[in-house]
Amino acid sequence: MRRLSIRAKITLWFSAALIIVVALTYFVILSVSRQIIQKTIRDSLIEIVEGNIDEVEYYDSIDEIYADNDVDYYTRYNDGYIEIDDDFLNAVNQIYTSLSQSDGTLLFGENPIAKETAGLAFTDSEVQRVRVDGTLYYVFDRRLDADGLEGLWLRGVVAETQGEAELSNISRTSLILLPSLVLVAVIGGFLIAGRMLWPIRQIADTAAQIREGNDLRKRIDLGEGTDELHRLANQFNEMFARLDKSFQTQQQFVADASHELRTPVAVIRAQCEFALEQEQTPEEYVEALEVIQWQSRKMNRLIGSLLDFTRLELQPERYAKENLDLSQLVESVCTDLSMLREKNIELTCETEPDVLISGNRELLTRLLTNLVSNAYRYGRENGHTMVALCSDAGNIVLSVRDDGIGIAAEALPNIFDRFYQADTSRSGGGNGLGLAMVKEIAGFHGGRVSVESEPGHGSIFKIIFVR
């Protein structure tokens, strides 16, 4: 049983349940049909006997009989004659009717169990049961009360087996129809089960293709639908998309780290080899160690930035949001950064009061710090950097403007890519991750970043947070 497919198991359980239901239905049909047929037999017995009461008449003289001109049957009774309609002799549906005296003497008609029921007392308007040779008979008596018919009884008799032929027909019909219905239902159930389980096969096949081909870009295509299996497929697709994104991010991380770490590692290795090749002066050893220290710090900053970037991409839930006064946050960050006075650049801040946002304090601080640090790095000596915060059409606009060297037009589309530097001569010690981090943090808060720049005149970066 465990080796069977789900489709086969469903079909077997469905078939077993259906067979049990059909078997019970068959026995219920037979039982109910038997009861209905027996009741019909008894009702027919009573109806025929009651109808035959009018077929028996009494005449005082033979002259009255001749005047009637009916072709019936006559018998002498007491001082007159009894006329019996000729239909009285006919057995209707194996129901026999007889005319007897109170002492049981048969005067007319037919009673197949007359000898066996000779001692059975007459009971007016009551159905009696008599078993003869294993067969049950119904007996119904009616006393005749018309003038001249006193002391006479009509007795109707019918065997219970009279309905066996009809019951047998019902049984044969049921034995043909019910199994046919079971067969049709089982085949239909098998086909429906296959149709219902088709989405599960699609899910399994897609998962197998992903496993065999290591292609996380494959998706489960079930078409339109809102049932449980379509929701399950959508969850799988979302899971595959997230796994694919994680895998791509991991590959990108490894590739970026390998590429960016190659230079500092090479420098450190070269300095070590140079220092070990031959004896150096103390000043040369110190110089080599300073180079190694600088490159190791650069590597440490790079690895830290890459890890922060990757965490934000893969685990944004680590950064909880809260209701913040962005105005106070921007003023506080600008106050701290203005003390740096890099290149003697003046940092000013203009904020609209009470600008609120739902965000993460750490990430928003990082965003603004990266933008201001970028302005310092590429600003001109004795220049100026302006930070502004305001509300515009219901949205929040944060801008950082500088009057530095600017960015070439052909470089603008790429400046938010990781490790992209339009001009290595203007890197200023950066690692190419600052603006990429800004874009990622802005997206995390439902915002978008844009830049306008003119070479030689400076740049303006705008972050628009949609409320």
Side-chain angles (χ1 to χ4, degrees), residues 124-142:
D124 188 37
S125 300
E126 182 178 337
V127 177
Q128 301 183 76
R129 297 168 179 263
V130 179
R131 189 171 295 278
V132 176
D133 296 332
T135 302
L136 180 66
Y137 288 85
Y138 297 110
V139 178
F140 182 72
D141 300 323
R142 284 290 279 122

Side-chain angles (χ1 to χ4, degrees), residues 82-136:
I82 298 175
E83 178 190 26
I84 305 172
D85 192 279
D86 58 348
D87 294 334
F88 191 87
L89 292 176
N90 298 329
V92 180
N93 293 330
Q94 301 180 16
I95 297 175
Y96 300 92
T97 307
S98 61
L99 178 64
S100 303
Q101 293 181 348
S102 298
D103 59 4
T105 303
L106 181 64
L107 296 181
F108 199 82
E110 185 178 358
N111 184 352
I113 55 171
K115 294 181 179 180
E116 290 81 357
T117 58
L120 183 64
F122 291 103
T123 304
D124 188 37
S125 300
E126 182 178 337
V127 177
Q128 301 183 76
R129 297 168 179 263
V130 179
R131 189 171 295 278
V132 176
D133 296 332
T135 302
L136 180 66

Side-chain angles (χ1 to χ4, degrees), residues 425-464:
S425 65
R426 58 191 291 276
S427 63
N431 56 26
L433 286 174
L435 292 181
M437 193 70 173
V438 167
K439 181 180 179 181
E440 196 71 20
I441 294 173
F444 175 77
H445 289 87
R448 62 182 184 273
V449 58
S450 63
V451 58
E452 298 175 8
S453 184
E454 183 179 352
H457 294 82
S459 306
I460 177 170
F461 288 84
K462 286 185 178 180
I463 312 294
I464 300 176

